[in-house]
Amino acid sequence: MSVLLVVGSGFAMMPEAEIERRVQDLVGQMTLQEKVGQLNLVGCSVIGAFDLDRKALDRMFAEKKITKREYEHLISGKSLLREEPAIAAGNAGAVATRRWEHFNAAQKVAVEKSRLHIPLLSGTDVIHGWDTTFPTTFAESCAWDEDLWRRTAEISALEARYEGCNWTYAPMIDLARDARWGRIAEGGGQDPYLLSLLAAARVRGFQGEDMSDGRHVAACMKHFVAYGACEGGRDYNLVEMSEGTLRDFYLPPFAAAVKAGCQSVMPAFHSINGTPCSHSKWLLTDVLQGELGFRGFLVSDCQAIVQCTEEMHGTCHDKVDAAEKCFNAGIDMDMASGAFGPNLANLVKAGKISMARLDDAVSKLLRIKFRLGLFENPYVDREGLRKQIDYRRHGAVARESAQRSIVLLKNDGVLPLDGKKKIVLVGHVCADAADMRGAWACGWQPHLFKGILNTCLRDALKARGADFVFTDAYDMEGRLDAEALKKAVAAADVVVAGFGEHSGQSGEAQSFAKLELRGRQLEAAEIIAASGKPFVAVLFNGRPIPVPELKAKANALVEGWHLGMAAGDALADVLFGDVNPSGRLTCDIPNASGECPRYYNRPNTGRPAAGSPWTSKYRDLPIVSLYPFGYGLTYTKFAYSNEKAEVRGGDVVLTCEVKNIGAREGREVVQGYVHDVLARVSRPRRELKGFAAVVLKPGEAREVEIRIPLKSLGYHVGSEFVLEPGRYFAWVAPDSDSGKRLEFTVDAVVGEKSGMR
Ligand code: BGC
């Protein structure tokens, strides 16, 4: 349980009726241009939608990613201050910055110099932590723990607020089935049920009970919608999708975030069935606001509005046309396209945009500013917030989160490590703290955690006084000193070896067609295996990567993802058995890149069974995943018995007895899956409908019950929600591929009109 100390808080939530009165009052006083001005997000750098720090700018200039002119402009530190006249004239509603000094200065101009003194929002990406970098969201999803997801978001919010951010472009809740898509690392996996829990938990963590308390931020769920389904796993690529699939898989996490009170949303870059999300009125107005009941405001993705014009999506003639279409479709704020500011007023005057729609957009934004308490407390309260930030406590949560994200994939008994044995640690990545960062480590401040956390595995082993030597005999690029590696492992009782991909190789625009281990990592694995020494392979990766060779050759395989600031300590805790691993995969791990997308909740086909050549599989790959969704081992064993499925009191109730038959305490994630046997359209072979996590002592047994509301058995055919009586199969199991098949029948269902809310 987290306890946050509120020091001298002078904040109080304003009642909604009062907020509404003040919003209407303000809108009534605003000129047309002031209204339009509120819908601009300013201060975006030429490279992204935020101020960059000096080092990043130097690097970009050296790599020729920005011109000399752009560089000089940006290092003058004035990317926000150059906006001063615009802010003073009321032509900005939000700023993009990661620096509190820049924010306070801009806010002062807004509050003191603009006619109506309307404070600014300040947005940036706080995806998996700020100063404290937590594991990537994808890694943390493997904890299957809503409370943890909420707590890490809450800490991120506090630290972000300290740096001047009051609005985060998170949670990223794009369901993703395709490991080739680099942004899979930013989200929470491939299951709509689990991702919906994560979405709601993150929103609650970011926003708290009361956003005006000065410690929380407004959340922005993204990217609406189905961004993760980009064709071929190629970032930004088009999506072709049936409406049923969209509704059953991709919309539910957004519906859950709306229900949790998410204040804003970011439509995605791509097009669905030909229409860019940015101007799909059907998606942004009818579905999101009409059906899902979203009442917050919509901000475009970075330059997404201008990307609808002729040379890009090609669905809008020019910026003016794009502004009209996107605004009328529902986007309220323009991030970095410069399309709304110069054009909306003219479009209103020309009758192409109604004043009612403009008032609606402005009101949505103002409401959030009131809810954040910005009119009363516009500035960053550095001193007050500093007292609440306890890096020791935050570091402890980062370590807990990293421990809980680790997934033990294979163990023939070599783990936990015997502290008396001589360990040889190999692989450059084991000594590279920067590679633990993860896709969105924007605030990465390792110096704050000196003496508190060890980020790379080598430092963590050193800190705990382990008997080990480290040999940097290969890296992930192609360097391999085979002789040095052979020599090092010859002296070992046990070898711990790191493999994977760089932190920067997952995330935005990091799609890869080949996910197999790069460079000469497999050769290194071969050398270690050939030595005959016990071999523990640790993986560092943002996305699931196919590692059949490691599965075959290593004695233990540990999925260490990109675990952030506490990666080294958490991995050492698990390797030495101080912590019993309990993470479970939230995506299938493919056997090879060529079988992506690989996901457990796919429908059966006409030829589903194995054992015949005429079946739906690749001839050169196994029919099952390398590791399935839900899978993960612990240092103990659990036995399932007495599994039952029945319909009781309007719910499907799955029960079983789980017993810890191993030698140490452990956490088991008992998973409830369902399959609709006969339906109007093919249904997934299994769908997760609930889970229960139990911590059991050795020898302890527990009755576990998973209740599934009947409504969640429904599905969509087009826009129609179908919930029919009939036969279902069910499993209460430790993963999506195992367990005893049960059966239940639903006799009658009370009419449900919609599956979306
Ligand atoms: C990304 C968003 C992000 C935005 C602002 C875009 O390129 O798609 O996820 O929030 O930049 O940084």
Side-chain angles (χ1 to χ4, degrees), residues 49-50 125 169 183 222-223 266 269 301-302 335 440 508:
F50 40 78
D125 297 274
Y169 311 136
R183 300 198 82 168
K222 69 184 190 188
H223 306 83
M266 184 185 291
F269 283 126
D301 203 340
C302 188
M335 186 194 289
W440 271 108
E508 188 170 351

Side-chain angles (χ1 to χ4, degrees), residues 408 580-584 630-643 656-671 692-704 732-735 738-739:
L408 179 62
N580 191 354
S582 60
R584 299 304 174 96
Y631 180 85
L633 302 172
T634 69
Y635 292 150
T636 188
K637 277 211 158 53
F638 297 96
Y640 285 59
S641 60
N642 221 6
E643 296 97 324
C656 71
E657 192 183 291
V658 182
K659 186 172 183 190
N660 183 344
I661 54 167
R664 60 178 291 176
E665 184 178 288
R667 179 182 192 260
E668 173 70 344
V669 180
V670 183
Q671 300 157 40
V694 284
V695 177
L696 297 176
K697 296 207 158 45
E700 191 184 351
R702 190 149 335 141
E703 240 341 281
V704 173
V732 207
D735 62 67
S738 60

Side-chain angles (χ1 to χ4, degrees), residues 345-359:
N346 290 338
L347 287 164
V348 171
K349 285 182 202 145
K352 293 189 170 164
I353 283 175
S354 71
M355 189 61 95
R357 167 74 190 103
L358 186 64
D359 288 351

Side-chain angles (χ1 to χ4, degrees), residues 342-522:
N343 299 315
L344 289 193
N346 290 338
L347 287 164
V348 171
K349 285 182 202 145
K352 293 189 170 164
I353 283 175
S354 71
M355 189 61 95
R357 167 74 190 103
L358 186 64
D359 288 351
D360 166 60
V362 176
S363 304
K364 284 175 184 165
L365 182 64
L366 293 178
R367 271 180 211 119
I368 287 157
K369 294 184 176 184
F370 277 110
R371 286 183 195 136
L372 278 164
L374 294 178
F375 285 85
E376 288 72 30
N377 298 288
Y379 302 108
V380 180
D381 169 20
R382 287 286 287 184
E383 221 170 287
L385 286 169
R386 183 67 192 90
K387 288 186 200 138
Q388 298 176 54
I389 293 177
D390 174 352
Y391 288 115
R392 250 172 213 287
R393 187 180 76 81
H394 295 186
V397 178
R399 186 165 179 162
E400 177 195 349
S401 163
Q403 291 164 346
R404 301 285 309 284
S405 305
I406 293 166
V407 186
L408 179 62
L409 296 173
K410 178 182 177 182
N411 184 19
D412 70 359
V414 63
L415 290 179
L417 294 172
D418 176 345
K420 293 192 203 90
K421 299 241 162 104
K422 174 113 197 145
I423 300 161
V424 169
L425 182 70
V426 289
H428 180 78
V429 66
C430 296
D432 192 340
D435 255 332
M436 305 296 112
R437 294 162 64 114
W440 271 108
C442 295
W444 184 254
Q445 303 280 359
H447 66 277
L448 296 172
F449 296 89
K450 244 197 166 118
I452 300 178
L453 291 177
N454 296 286
T455 302
C456 69
L457 192 48
R458 181 199 54 191
D459 293 352
L461 294 191
K462 218 186 275 169
R464 61 193 294 139
D467 179 13
F468 82 107
V469 285
F470 170 68
T471 303
D472 186 0
Y474 65 93
D475 65 11
M476 300 190 293
E477 305 282 286
R479 177 170 62 77
L480 169 66
D481 183 339
E483 287 317 308
L485 183 59
K486 277 183 202 156
K487 202 167 150 213
V489 298
D493 290 333
V494 56
V495 181
V496 176
F499 302 93
E501 62 175 4
H502 292 297
S503 179
Q505 285 173 328
S506 59
E508 188 170 351
Q510 296 303 321
S511 295
F512 281 90
K514 299 178 208 154
L515 305 175
E516 284 73 11
L517 289 175
R518 299 187 185 96
R520 299 175 69 186
Q521 297 186 75
L522 284 178

